[in-house]
Amino acid sequence: MEFLIDTASGLLLLLFKVFTIVVPLMIVLEVSREFKVLDRLTSAVYPLARRLGFKSESIYPLLAGIIFGISYGGGVLISESNSGRIGRNQMFLIALFLGMCHAVFEDTLLFVSQGANGLVIIVARVTLAIAVVWTASHLIREKGN
Amino acid sequence: MSEATYKARLYSSATLGVKRGIGAFLQLSAIMVPVYVVVALLKLTPAIDFVSGLFEPIMVYFGLPGESALAYVTGSFVNLYAALAVIAGLELTARQITILAIMLGVSHSQIMESAILAKMNARPLWISLARVAFSFICGVILNLIIPA
């Protein structure tokens, strides 16, 4: 009996926490899609992104993945890749960055709800992604691609 | 843009967000509920202690207890929500959850996300391997720099 009560209450608490993260996040995502917030951010991050080896056409899909995640931003990523506007090396750099660091708000909030330190999580993931992509883009450039 | 259309767009996009949020929540619950229940049941058996002992020698480099390997493996193959359900069932400290969160943040949902990366023509195998390798590297470094 005690087992049932403990399990049920633990489960309800978990579901409640996830609900209070997922639903508001989806509202923010849909509203920012409607008002094309990404388009405005694109130019703001361009100077930094360029230093990492990203071309201007890569920044929109990159931002979509960082903010919305690979599953949700996946539509943007796949259609951009099929459009042929983004070269293979650029696509690799985008995927490499997003592999290390995507859906930053969603992932971070989930773990914060379990007691993690959100600032440490975001700083660590962004730093790692920047370091890895910077290194990879320099290696690619040296290979002369 | 007139005030009225602005409000209408805000309202309709927010409503869509609520619908999609609830839809996503239901889908995620279908994963989290069974995972949480399985972990709760496993805690009644010696299975968790067994797994913990098995992974202790590896997880100790990340400052994590052996049983946290359960969360890492679940997150890698299923998704972060499944890992979250495991974490909620274990007793971990804030420091441990932070380290685990970064390791899982770097490497998770490998099967589904590799499928998407494959569609992007982006060398998915290399990305997957890099994610696992860097999540381990992050775990070791964070264990060294985050104060106990």
Side-chain angles (χ1 to χ4, degrees):
Chain A
M1 192 61 206
E2 199 195 320
F3 169 77
L4 281 180
I5 294 171
D6 283 354
T7 306
S9 61
L11 192 52
L12 284 177
L13 183 63
L14 173 69
L15 293 178
F16 174 75
K17 284 175 176 172
V18 170
F19 186 86
T20 54
I21 292 168
V22 170
V23 176
L25 209 60
M26 277 294 182
I27 297 173
V28 174
L29 294 191
E30 288 300 338
V31 172
S32 39
R33 280 220 304 193
E34 175 68 28
F35 290 94
K36 305 211 181 321
V37 174
L38 276 194
D39 289 337
R40 284 167 226 202
L41 277 179
T42 307
S43 51
V45 299
Y46 181 61
L48 175 66
R50 202 185 48 170
R51 290 186 148 200
L52 293 178
F54 289 111
K55 296 183 176 156
S56 60
E57 66 270 19
S58 303
I59 296 177
Y60 186 82
L62 182 68
L63 275 180
I66 294 174
I67 298 172
F68 299 128
I70 290 190
S71 327
Y72 198 74
V76 175
L77 294 167
I78 292 169
S79 73
E80 288 281 322
S81 115
N82 290 339
S83 75
R85 290 196 304 130
I86 298 176
R88 191 167 159 82
N89 281 332
Q90 281 292 299
M91 219 60 213
F92 178 68
L93 290 182
I94 294 172
L96 197 57
F97 193 103
L98 293 182
M100 310 290 151
C101 183
H102 60 255
V104 283
F105 298 113
E106 180 187 346
D107 293 2
T108 305
L109 286 173
L110 285 178
F111 288 105
V112 167
S113 81
Q114 299 299 319
N117 183 326
L119 189 64
V120 175
I121 296 177
I122 290 199
V123 170
R125 280 181 82 188
V126 173
T127 310
L128 172 72
I130 288 178
V132 170
V133 168
W134 187 85
T135 310
S137 76
H138 279 256
L139 290 176
I140 289 173
R141 227 175 284 169
E142 274 171 29
K143 264 173 64 186
N145 288 328
Chain B
M1 183 187 336
S2 79
E3 177 85 358
T5 48
Y6 181 86
K7 272 190 178 158
R9 285 172 66 196
L10 187 63
Y11 180 79
S12 68
S13 57
T15 314
L16 185 63
V18 173
K19 277 187 200 150
R20 292 212 162 150
I22 291 172
F25 172 74
L26 292 177
Q27 278 188 346
L28 297 168
S29 301
I31 298 165
M32 290 186 295
V33 172
V35 171
Y36 189 88
V37 171
V38 167
V39 172
L41 289 172
L42 285 178
K43 282 201 286 188
L44 299 174
T45 73
I48 302 257
D49 286 339
F50 176 74
V51 171
S52 180
L54 209 59
F55 287 99
E56 190 76 55
I58 306 168
M59 302 313 278
V60 72
Y61 291 105
F62 313 131
L64 298 174
E67 65 267 27
S68 58
L70 272 181
Y72 186 78
V73 171
T74 310
S76 297
F77 286 102
V78 189
N79 61 30
L80 280 182
Y81 290 87
L84 205 70
V86 177
I87 290 171
L90 302 174
E91 273 111 40
L92 301 174
T93 66
R95 181 183 192 271
Q96 289 165 345
I97 295 176
T98 304
I99 293 176
L100 198 51
I102 294 161
M103 293 181 66
L104 274 168
V106 172
S107 174
H108 62 252
S109 316
Q110 288 280 7
I111 295 171
M112 194 204 51
E113 291 183 355
S114 293
I116 295 173
L117 295 178
K119 281 190 191 162
M120 288 167 62
N121 303 314
R123 301 177 179 97
L125 186 65
W126 284 108
I127 308 268
S128 270
L129 290 174
R131 291 177 71 186
V132 175
F134 282 112
S135 83
F136 284 6
I137 293 170
C138 273
V140 172
I141 295 176
L142 290 162
N143 183 36
L144 294 174
I145 60 177
I146 298 180

